[in-house]
């Protein structure tokens, strides 16, 4: 059930990332056309593109994290025995999970303070929404870390039986 829920979250995030990337492309294209063809640039496009890019980076990071596609150095871990490798990997995943929990918690005051700050070129938007991307991504990556931790132990059971 847990994996099915995470698969659904993953599909939703991928869809949101496609929407964000498409809107980023549209906004930047709009700025180029407005600036160089019509000689009247929009003031909000640069900041809007930056905010979309921040969300895209954090949500995209969750997709990459679940696939274990982040850059990692596993030279020393691969030299260990299977049992030691499992223990070291588990410790690393537990530390990563604690880090994501910590990151999600420390963004709470940032989000609260960010709601008081308006985006200059888009006064209807506040910076709390930008900090929300960090918290949401941290929570999702924490769930993916827990899934990875279960997989480390589950794969070992399958290999030994």
């Amino acid at each position: 059930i847990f994996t099915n829920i995470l698969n659904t979250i993953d599909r939703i995030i991928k869809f949101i990332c496609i929407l964000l990337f498409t809107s980023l492309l549209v906004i930047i294209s709009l700025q180029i056309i407005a600036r160089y063809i019509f000689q009247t640039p929009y003031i909000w496009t640069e900041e809007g593109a930056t905010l979309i890019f921040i969300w895209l980076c954090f949500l995209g990071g969750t997709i990459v994290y679940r696939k274990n596609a982040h850059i990692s150095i596993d030279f020393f871990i691969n030299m260990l025995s299977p049992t030691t490798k499992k223990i070291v990997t588990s410790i690393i995943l537990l530390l990563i999970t604690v880090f994501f929990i910590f990151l999600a918690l420390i963004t709470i005051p940032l989000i609260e303070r960010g709601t008081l700050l308006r985006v200059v070129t888009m006064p209807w938007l506040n910076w709390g929404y930008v900090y929300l991307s960090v918290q949401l991504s941290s929570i999702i990556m924490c769930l993916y870390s827990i899934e990875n931790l279960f997989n480390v132990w589950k794969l070992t059971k399958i290999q030994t039986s």
Side-chain angles (χ1 to χ4, degrees):
I1 295 174
F2 186 61
T3 304
N4 291 337
I5 293 170
L6 294 182
N7 287 339
T8 304
I9 291 171
D10 198 43
R11 281 193 300 276
I12 291 169
I13 291 172
K14 287 177 183 176
F15 179 74
I16 291 171
C17 284
I18 290 169
L19 289 178
L20 287 173
F21 191 78
T22 304
S23 62
L24 185 65
L25 182 67
V26 168
I27 288 173
I28 292 172
S29 299
L30 178 68
Q31 174 64 0
I32 292 169
I33 291 168
R35 179 178 299 235
Y36 293 109
I37 295 177
F38 298 116
Q39 307 299 320
T40 53
Y42 295 110
I43 60 171
W44 58 270
T45 53
E46 183 180 341
E47 205 161 23
T50 302
L51 299 177
I52 290 171
F53 188 69
I54 290 169
W55 270 92
L56 190 59
C57 286
F58 279 101
L59 289 179
T62 64
I63 295 168
V64 173
Y65 182 71
R66 186 162 193 218
K67 292 181 177 181
N68 258 342
H70 280 293
I71 296 173
S72 63
I73 301 171
D74 56 0
F75 176 76
F76 296 109
I77 291 178
N78 289 336
M79 293 173 55
L80 301 172
S81 69
T83 306
T84 310
K85 183 178 181 178
K86 181 172 74 168
I87 292 169
V88 169
T89 303
S90 299
I91 291 169
I92 291 170
L93 287 170
L94 283 171
L95 290 173
I96 289 171
T97 304
V98 168
F99 171 75
F100 286 136
I101 292 169
F102 174 74
L103 193 59
L105 291 175
I106 64 168
T107 54
I108 292 171
L110 286 175
I111 293 169
E112 289 172 353
R113 284 187 228 131
T115 58
L116 303 174
L117 300 171
R118 300 282 173 210
V119 176
V120 176
T121 58
M122 296 176 279
W124 49 269
L125 186 65
N126 65 56
W127 281 94
Y129 293 115
V130 177
Y131 299 132
L132 184 64
S133 68
V134 179
Q135 186 179 49
L136 182 65
S137 298
S138 298
I139 292 168
I140 293 167
M141 285 193 262
C142 180
L143 293 173
Y144 290 163
S145 292
I146 294 168
E147 178 190 37
N148 289 339
L149 189 59
F150 284 134
N151 287 339
V152 165
W153 290 93
K154 186 170 69 175
L155 288 174
T156 306
K157 286 182 182 177
I158 293 170
Q159 290 171 355
T160 56
S161 56

